């Protein structure tokens, strides 16, 4: 059994509130144990929620990743003043079922999955896995390119409508955020000192990039800060957010979405402006929440202990509780990706694949293009490569 499979198996049975242990970084730690020198215990003894782990794009690159599918046709239940998830729809939805197609691979790459898509659906990013390392890929209108970013392990995580991609480099003891734009890669500098950045950088339409950082050697987000690189800049700005704030996405108007943590566990989902003014996102009585993704008027995340996906309208504050979660991708129409399942108007949408295969969603554009992967069925599931569905 390899390191990653062992890590996944140990965490699958654990059900705990959302923690700020890095989503993708926990698995990168399994793949790169010699580099990270971390184990589940070494990460502060706080286990990551099973659903959150299984929906991370870096998890889905590996053979054997098995997110549980949501029940077909599951309807949302309202919590507070729920609002229809299709309000203000901008996506162009097809009248029939989602139309699948494969994404071609760059020469020599074998174990690739998509990791993200820009709002227009023109650009898709993903990664090949070679041993314990990542190799980044950018598709432009379906044409693949292996990104020439230097580093032992390079993982691309997001792309905007201008084709500007961001991701993480791990090279020896160095780890940092990179920006890839117009054929050139740029290292984005952190403040003085040694920092661990996590879980993965996000980017908005303007090119602003956001991620969390904690002092190297810390774990679980201890003494973490939120960093912003404005479009074109290589110097980070520390956002004036409260202690315990972690950010996971940034909208086109600069709103930062994430959660406030206490003792390493999420206590509330929040949306902050860049001056530090925050809005607590609604959670039902007896539950805590964390926000993981945002686009337009919408934010998606999770609720604990119910482990439901959550969809918030950032304009009205309304919450819609969805099926199993959390939700870690959302588009401008309020379509949510949760545990590999696309939820549209609260109902699971079928992602067609040939018999004996399973289609797993990772992200969705504002135009209704879903990106993800196909895998074989059974206990020895294998990654069959990146897929897109036009829905």
């Amino acid at each position: 059994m390899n390191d990653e499979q062992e890590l996944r198996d140990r965490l699958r049975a654990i059900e705990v509130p959302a923690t700020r242990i890095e989503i993708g970084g926990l698995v990168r730690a399994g793949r790169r144990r010699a580099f990270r020198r971390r184990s589940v215990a070494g990460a502060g003894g706080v286990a990551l929620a099973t659903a959150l782990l299984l929906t991370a794009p870096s998890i889905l690159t590996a053979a054997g990743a098995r997110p549980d599918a949501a029940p077909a046709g599951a309807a949302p239940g309202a919590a507070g003043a729920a609002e229809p998830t299709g309000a203000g729809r901008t996506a162009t939805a097809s009248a029939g079922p989602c139309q699948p197609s494969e994404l071609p691979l760059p020469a020599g790459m074998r174990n690739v999955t998509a990791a993200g898509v820009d709002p227009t659906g023109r650009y898709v990013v993903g990664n090949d896995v070679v041993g314990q390392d990542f190799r980044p890929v950018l598709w432009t209108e379906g044409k693949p390119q292996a990104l020439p970013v230097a580093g032992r392990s390079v993982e691309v995580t997001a792309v905007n409508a201008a084709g500007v991609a961001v991701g993480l480099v791990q090279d020896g003891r160095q780890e940092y955020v990179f920006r890839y734009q117009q054929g050139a890669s740029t290292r984005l500098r952190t403040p003085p000192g040694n920092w661990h950045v996590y879980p993965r950088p996000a980017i908005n339409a303007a090119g602003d990039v956001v991620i969390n950082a904690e002092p190297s050697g810390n774990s679980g987000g201890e003494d973490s800060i939120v960093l912003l690189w404005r479009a074109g800049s290589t110097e980070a700005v520390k956002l004036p957010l409260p202690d315990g704030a972690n950010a996971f996405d940034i909208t086109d108007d600069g709103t930062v979405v994430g959660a406030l943590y206490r003792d390493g566990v999420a206590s509330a989902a929040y949306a902050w402006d860049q001056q530090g003014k925050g809005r607590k996102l609604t959670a039902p009585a007896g539950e805590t929440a964390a926000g993981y993704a945002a686009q337009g008027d919408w934010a998606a995340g999770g609720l604990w202990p119910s482990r439901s996906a959550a969809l918030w309208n950032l304009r009205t504050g309304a919450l819609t509780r969805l099926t199993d979660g959390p939700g870690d991708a959302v588009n401008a129409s309020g379509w949510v990706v949760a545990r590999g399942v696309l939820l549209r108007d609260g109902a699971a949408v079928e992602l067609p694949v040939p018999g004996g295969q399973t289609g797993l969603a990772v992200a969705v554009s504002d135009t209704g293009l879903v990106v993800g992967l196909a895998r074989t069925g059974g206990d020895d599931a294998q990654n069959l490569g990146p897929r897109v569905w036009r829905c």
Side-chain angles (χ1 to χ4, degrees):
M1 180 180 292
N2 62 32
D3 293 340
E4 181 178 341
Q5 184 64 53
E6 180 181 6
L7 177 63
R8 186 165 50 243
D9 289 345
R10 290 173 66 185
L11 294 181
R12 183 172 288 128
I14 299 172
E15 297 182 9
V16 297
T19 75
R20 59 181 174 185
I21 296 175
E22 53 270 33
I23 301 168
L26 191 57
V27 173
R28 285 192 296 275
R31 288 199 178 116
R32 308 209 47 178
R33 186 164 54 182
F35 174 81
R36 303 291 301 148
R37 302 296 184 192
R38 290 186 181 178
S39 64
V40 175
V46 185
L48 186 63
T50 305
L52 181 58
L53 180 66
L54 293 179
T55 51
S58 58
I59 293 292
L60 299 178
T61 62
R66 289 158 44 203
D68 297 330
E83 191 166 295
T85 61
R89 170 166 289 124
T90 60
T92 304
S94 60
C98 300
Q99 300 301 312
S101 60
E102 297 185 21
L103 284 173
L105 304 182
M109 292 190 173
R110 299 286 184 270
N111 189 20
V112 181
T113 187
V117 61
D118 86 283
T120 72
R122 183 185 182 195
Y123 299 102
V124 175
V125 290
N127 298 282
D128 187 29
V129 178
V130 180
Q132 295 181 347
D133 299 324
F134 291 100
R135 299 288 182 266
V137 183
L138 172 68
W139 289 267
T140 302
E141 296 181 343
K143 182 178 179 180
Q145 174 193 5
L147 293 184
V149 181
R152 178 177 174 181
S153 179
V154 181
E155 180 188 13
V156 62
T157 63
V159 63
N160 70 9
V164 182
V166 292
L168 297 169
V169 172
Q170 291 184 340
D171 195 356
R173 291 186 176 275
Q174 295 187 81
E175 55 177 326
Y176 56 87
V177 177
F178 73 89
R179 177 197 294 123
Y180 183 85
Q181 183 174 11
Q182 297 179 342
S185 174
T186 303
R187 177 173 177 169
L188 303 185
R189 302 287 175 176
T190 51
N194 296 317
W195 295 93
H196 164 54
V197 289
Y198 71 96
R200 52 187 186 248
I203 187 170
N204 67 8
D208 300 330
V209 178
V210 69
I211 198 170
N212 308 297
E214 64 185 5
S216 294
N218 288 10
S219 61
E222 182 182 356
D223 298 323
S224 63
I225 59 176
V226 177
L227 298 179
L228 171 73
W229 291 271
R230 303 196 188 281
S233 174
T234 60
E235 300 300 323
V237 174
K238 177 186 173 183
L239 293 182
L241 304 186
D243 290 344
N246 272 201
F248 299 111
D249 210 346
I250 182 170
T251 66
D252 291 348
D253 68 3
T255 299
V256 173
V257 169
L260 195 63
Y261 290 81
R262 294 287 182 264
D263 299 322
V265 178
S267 61
Y270 266 86
W272 292 280
D273 65 22
Q274 293 181 19
Q275 289 70 50
K277 182 179 179 181
R279 293 174 285 152
K280 184 177 179 180
L281 302 181
T282 302
E287 299 221 64
T288 59
Y292 297 127
Q295 178 66 11
D297 288 336
W298 301 99
L303 301 170
W304 283 268
S306 69
R307 300 196 308 123
S308 303
L311 176 67
W312 292 275
N313 186 307
L314 295 174
R315 178 174 47 82
T316 67
L319 164 69
T320 301
R321 185 203 296 265
L322 302 172
T323 184
D324 291 350
D328 64 351
V330 66
N331 73 3
S333 299
W335 301 9
V336 175
V337 173
R339 302 189 71 190
V341 176
L342 174 67
L343 301 172
R344 182 173 60 193
D345 295 331
V349 176
E350 181 183 3
L351 301 177
V353 287
Q357 299 181 15
T358 300
L360 299 173
V362 170
V364 57
S365 76
D366 293 349
T367 58
L369 185 74
V370 180
V371 302
L373 73 154
R375 64 168 175 83
T376 59
D379 292 336
D380 297 322
Q382 299 293 317
N383 174 24
L384 298 176
R387 301 289 188 271
V388 296
W389 293 267
R390 189 158 296 282
C391 298

